[in-house]
Amino acid sequence: MRSRPLALAFVLALSLPAVAPAADDTRCTPAATFAVDGFRDPADDLARVGELVGAVAPEPRLIRRGGFRLEETCAAVALPWNVAPAPADGERFLTALPARLEGTFNSRFPEGANDGLLWAGRGVSAFATVGVAGRYGPLSFALAPEVAVSQNRDFTLVPNGKTGDLRFQNAWYGDTIDYPQRFGAGTPTFWAPGQSYLRLDVWNVAAGVSTENLWFGPGIRNSIVMSSAAAGFPHAFVGTSRPADIWIGTVEAKVLWGRLDRTRYVTTPTHPLLTALVVDYTPRWLPRLSLGLARVQLQVWDDLRVRDWFPFFQSFEKKNLSSWYGGPQGDNPRDNQLASAFGRWAFPESGLEIYLEWAREDHENSWAGFIREPDHTQAYTLGLQKVARLGERWVRFHAEYTDLQEFRPVTSSRGQPVYYIHGNDLSYTYQGQLLGAWIGPGADSQLVALDVFGKRGRIGGYLERVRRNEPVFWLVIDPNNPGEISHDTEVTAAVRQVFFAGPVDVSWEAAATYRWDRDFLRNEPNLRLGVQLAMPLGRRP
């Protein structure tokens, strides 16, 4: 069986018009449009929570980008705080994006999550962005450059036996992943085009180039296949502008081609080609249920042929790849892929949503092999949000579980695969940071959070447990140090708030972490403080 149905769904979606609201979905009567400045904007979280109480128009929210976008409010329920209004003329405008400044402090070791370009090393780290966005008919753009700097104070590293820049290389996985322990011994500075794009929308087809962050799947804290844990990478794309009506429901689709950069902390850095196909479907009879599939592939850039630019047409079965690549082994050692299936089901009547992502990082030789061992290289995320309205306030409970571990005997003939790790410089990172879940290779995490949304903003907190590098523990640490060193596990308690101080939006978070056997070295506490200041897109009434 081949993946051509995914490609056919993509082509079909491009050829169909944008969908009108379903006849039986009368919960939301559009009232106004507001602007959201990507994943860092508190309004991004507000929009998803608002959908669960009927304040924001429903969206699949499975194929997301980190740049400027618009959301629709509903007439029946008001948002708890006034959001930035959309440009008055949606077809022709030029607007300033928020000037955004962030600062992060880590007391003992690096720690961060879904912070894009920023690498939050030990000490103080800072991030800044400012830009403009505009539209003229079918052509739209954003120019939103980013810069980040890290104090990068010294902390204890795991010795890897190397010298020079390579002494900062990941000690457990070496050249199989560009994921350094530390970005050098100095004060590194990072810059990027950020959430910038140039986009053409004609009928219901969008095409363009972008360096925006991307997010595939329904996860809120973690996404297995594509998240904002690293900076956005440069890519070209084509897809649907809006969900397309195919009578039995609606479909969104996107294809992209990107080029990845490596750091100097691997022996022979290259520039792999990343291709992705992602599709989601919302049934006509269940308009609040959205299902999706994503397939992401990395290939060595050298000697790419025309067919290599369209690998999503390949079979999912390794044995069928010999004819594709002209080789006898039925595999291509110069590529790596991740694939996932995901879904999100919202119940606004009860203020609830549940979501799931299930992924694999390896082909099977046959579908029979998949049936025998579907859990080979599997990873998954389970989550839910529940929102209760208490007068003008909303109370949101959120829980999420992510597991990237592979449980099998260490003597297994198939080994013990590790997520995001691959030879031939095909690891799943960009500029030394992960493209997938921020918790990292062989990790699992559990989070529970409680937040209150009101007129003055949002306040709440969360508890989180993360266990890291489990394959290293079972294959290296425990056999050589039985009973002496245990699992690398941390527990974090955090409080966070968003409030409005005159012309400035303020977001802050304070987190206390205790990590047992950090990198299998020793127990360490860490205090993480973060603050974001932003001039909003427009003054609230």
Side-chain angles (χ1 to χ4, degrees), residues 160-399:
N160 63 12
K162 299 182 179 181
T163 59
D165 286 335
L166 293 181
R167 72 185 188 276
F168 302 109
Q169 185 180 81
N170 192 287
W172 305 121
Y173 306 112
D175 278 327
T176 61
I177 187 169
D178 181 23
Y179 189 42
Q181 301 181 69
R182 185 183 178 196
F183 282 78
T187 302
T189 300
F190 311 89
W191 74 272
Q195 310 309 309
S196 301
Y197 62 87
L198 180 63
R199 174 185 174 112
L200 181 68
D201 289 84
V202 179
W203 296 293
N204 195 31
V205 179
V209 292
S210 172
T211 56
E212 297 169 285
N213 279 111
L214 300 170
W215 192 289
F216 298 162
I220 296 175
R221 185 66 170 172
N222 279 292
S223 180
I224 300 169
V225 169
M226 189 68 69
S227 76
S228 60
F233 56 88
H235 61 274
F237 65 89
V238 60
T240 52
S241 298
R242 299 170 299 281
D245 192 348
I246 59 173
W247 189 78
I248 60 171
T250 65
V251 172
E252 287 183 302
K254 189 168 193 171
V255 168
L256 64 92
W257 299 264
R259 181 177 167 92
L260 302 183
D261 291 334
R262 302 307 193 193
T263 69
R264 64 181 186 271
Y265 309 112
V266 289
T267 305
T268 55
T270 64
H271 296 275
L273 169 69
L274 182 149
T275 58
L277 168 63
V278 57
V279 178
D280 70 44
Y281 165 67
T282 300
R284 185 177 187 88
W285 301 274
L286 295 170
R288 303 290 185 159
L289 170 66
S290 295
L291 306 171
L293 296 170
R295 190 177 189 186
V296 181
Q297 286 158 289
L298 276 68
Q299 299 176 82
V300 176
W301 191 274
D302 299 339
D303 302 322
L304 287 171
R305 297 163 294 181
V306 173
R307 69 181 65 179
D308 298 324
W309 292 85
F310 304 92
F312 29 78
F313 289 104
Q314 293 176 14
S315 169
F316 280 108
E317 299 172 272
K318 281 185 177 181
K319 69 180 182 181
N320 291 329
L321 293 180
S322 56
S323 60
W324 183 272
Y325 287 101
Q329 78 276 28
D331 194 4
N332 178 23
R334 291 165 63 84
D335 83 337
N336 185 36
Q337 82 155 334
L338 288 82
S340 71
F342 39 80
R344 172 177 179 258
W345 203 343
F347 303 89
E349 297 81 5
S350 57
L352 174 70
E353 73 164 310
I354 55 176
Y355 57 87
L356 162 71
E357 180 179 13
W358 182 83
R360 285 185 49 142
E361 205 199 30
D362 196 15
H363 291 268
E364 282 285 357
N365 282 323
S366 66
W367 285 104
F370 174 81
I371 293 171
R372 290 190 185 104
E373 199 173 8
D375 56 339
H376 174 63
T377 73
Q378 80 168 358
Y380 59 90
T381 290
L382 300 169
L384 66 85
Q385 286 197 107
K386 170 68 178 177
V387 185
R389 293 172 57 191
L390 301 178
E392 295 181 340
R393 293 185 176 86
W394 302 347
V395 180
R396 183 264 305 271
F397 172 78
H398 173 222

Side-chain angles (χ1 to χ4, degrees), residues 111-114 179 221-222 227 229 434 436-440 464 466 468:
E111 186 83 298
N114 300 319
Y179 189 42
R221 185 66 170 172
N222 279 292
S227 76
L434 291 163
W438 67 269
I439 56 177
E464 184 172 45
V466 180
R468 305 177 190 270

Side-chain angles (χ1 to χ4, degrees), residues 175-177 333-336 418 420-427:
D175 278 327
T176 61
I177 187 169
R334 291 165 63 84
D335 83 337
N336 185 36
V418 182
Y420 311 133
I421 307 298
H422 201 280
N424 298 313
D425 202 17
L426 293 174
S427 61

Side-chain angles (χ1 to χ4, degrees), residues 18-36:
V19 65
D24 59 344
D25 187 15
T26 58
R27 185 176 179 84
C28 180
T29 301
T33 305
F34 66 98
V36 178

Side-chain angles (χ1 to χ4, degrees), residues 12 29 85 87 114-115 133 141 148 191 220 234 238 259 324 326 337 374 384 401 430-431 435 442 485 492 507:
L12 181 61
T29 301
N114 300 319
D115 44 17
F141 78 94
W191 74 272
I220 296 175
V238 60
R259 181 177 167 92
W324 183 272
Q337 82 155 334
L384 66 85
Y401 179 100
Y430 176 62
Q431 296 181 345
L435 291 170
I485 301 175
T492 299
S507 306

